[in-house]
Amino acid sequence: GLLRQLVLLPGSDATPRLCPNSEPSLAELSIPQVLKSSTLQQDQHGLVYPYEAEARVTAGDRPPCSGPEKGQLWFNVQRKGLFICDGMMWMTLVQNKERLDYVEDYQDLYTRSETFDVEVFSIPSEGLFMAAANRDSRPGSGIYRWMNGSFQLYQNISTQEARAWKHFTINEKVFLVVADIRKAEPELSVIYRWNRRQKRFLRYQTLETHAAQDWEAFQIHNNSFLVVANHRR
């Protein structure tokens, strides 16, 4: 059929301005004068109505836009946009906004209590792990291991309102230190070491802390250091 009226109002509802309308004059104003004319043009292909506009639909390829294409519409399927040629370039009428959600939800991990921090690390010849710092002491914090394309619970470690985990290595030995908060003095945070035979993290050393919030591990001239961020004292 023939489209005789096109009203583009992004973000609006154009139906009240279209016929039938309680006030016909409003709809009359929106009809271009050329539509009221029955003037015809003759060319080699037959009759051409002056208000007709050819519409191009492509999957991204840009059609030519020059004098002969002036007023032509172009729908870009790939960009989901509608454009009109002004005789020199394609002007945007409607275009889908660029999406920024390039990161898709892959896996949801439901921990047994509020989680304040996660530490992702690798153990040579063992794979990828993730330590979650959980608030409740029972069952404590969880160590997850990457298996069959997802993280699976691998080991539970007793913690006290854990705030953060930090992974570090010394002489190819793998350690995990937790920032714990205990209600009674002295407060102790714990360092765990990876046991290759048992394939578990075992308690290695305790350090006195005061409402520890975080740990950082680093080396200076082959000397290993740990620094703790305390909340009290």
Side-chain angles (χ1 to χ4, degrees):
L2 176 64
L3 179 66
R4 296 187 60 88
Q5 185 177 3
L6 176 65
V7 181
L8 297 175
L9 294 175
S12 303
D13 184 5
T15 53
R17 300 184 56 182
L18 302 180
C19 294
N21 194 295
S22 58
E23 299 183 42
S25 60
L26 295 180
E28 179 71 18
L29 292 177
S30 65
I31 301 177
Q33 184 65 32
V34 66
L35 293 182
K36 304 174 184 179
S37 172
S38 59
T39 302
L40 303 180
Q41 297 177 356
Q42 184 76 28
D43 66 2
Q44 60 181 354
H45 301 292
L47 298 178
V48 176
Y49 294 88
Y51 46 79
E52 285 185 341
E54 184 179 0
R56 299 287 185 90
V57 179
T58 72
D61 298 334
R62 183 182 295 270
C65 176
S66 58
E69 289 83 24
K70 185 176 181 180
Q72 187 177 101
L73 296 175
W74 167 43
F75 181 72
N76 188 333
V77 177
Q78 188 177 32
R79 297 172 58 183
K80 298 181 180 179
L82 180 64
F83 306 86
I84 187 171
C85 177
D86 65 355
M88 298 179 59
M89 60 183 297
W90 292 103
M91 306 296 294
T92 303
L93 294 178
V94 181
Q95 186 173 357
N96 190 30
K97 293 183 179 180
E98 183 179 5
R99 298 180 61 179
L100 299 179
D101 53 345
Y102 302 130
V103 181
E104 298 180 354
D105 187 7
Y106 181 77
Q107 179 185 3
D108 291 326
L109 282 177
Y110 296 93
T111 55
R112 300 184 181 182
S113 65
E114 184 179 1
T115 300
F116 292 102
D117 182 59
V118 293
E119 175 80 352
V120 180
F121 57 96
S122 295
I123 299 179
S125 72
E126 296 294 341
L128 187 66
F129 292 81
M130 182 180 69
N134 293 343
R135 180 173 184 175
D136 292 348
S137 59
R138 293 184 180 181
S141 296
I143 307 296
Y144 297 83
R145 186 175 184 177
W146 183 263
M147 296 183 294
N148 299 323
S150 64
F151 278 107
Q152 305 293 330
L153 183 62
Y154 184 75
Q155 178 182 358
N156 274 324
I157 295 181
S158 178
T159 54
Q160 298 290 330
E161 295 191 26
R163 286 298 189 269
W165 285 98
K166 185 62 183 179
H167 155 262
F168 61 96
T169 59
I170 300 177
N171 298 329
E172 299 183 354
K173 299 175 182 177
V174 180
F175 296 90
L176 268 180
V177 59
V178 62
D180 264 345
I181 297 179
R182 298 177 185 270
K183 301 301 183 182
E185 293 288 347
E187 292 184 357
L188 299 175
S189 291
V190 185
I191 298 176
Y192 297 88
R193 177 182 171 184
W194 177 258
N195 186 291
R196 294 182 179 179
R197 184 175 60 84
Q198 299 186 28
K199 297 186 181 298
R200 289 288 189 274
F201 281 100
L202 303 180
R203 182 184 291 256
Y204 180 78
Q205 182 184 357
T206 57
L207 298 173
E208 184 174 350
T209 54
H210 307 279
Q213 300 296 308
D214 199 6
W215 286 95
E216 185 64 38
F218 56 93
Q219 289 187 340
I220 301 178
H221 301 308
N222 296 325
N223 294 318
S224 299
F225 295 87
L226 270 178
V227 59
V228 62
N230 285 325
H231 182 62
R232 293 194 298 267
R233 291 191 183 180

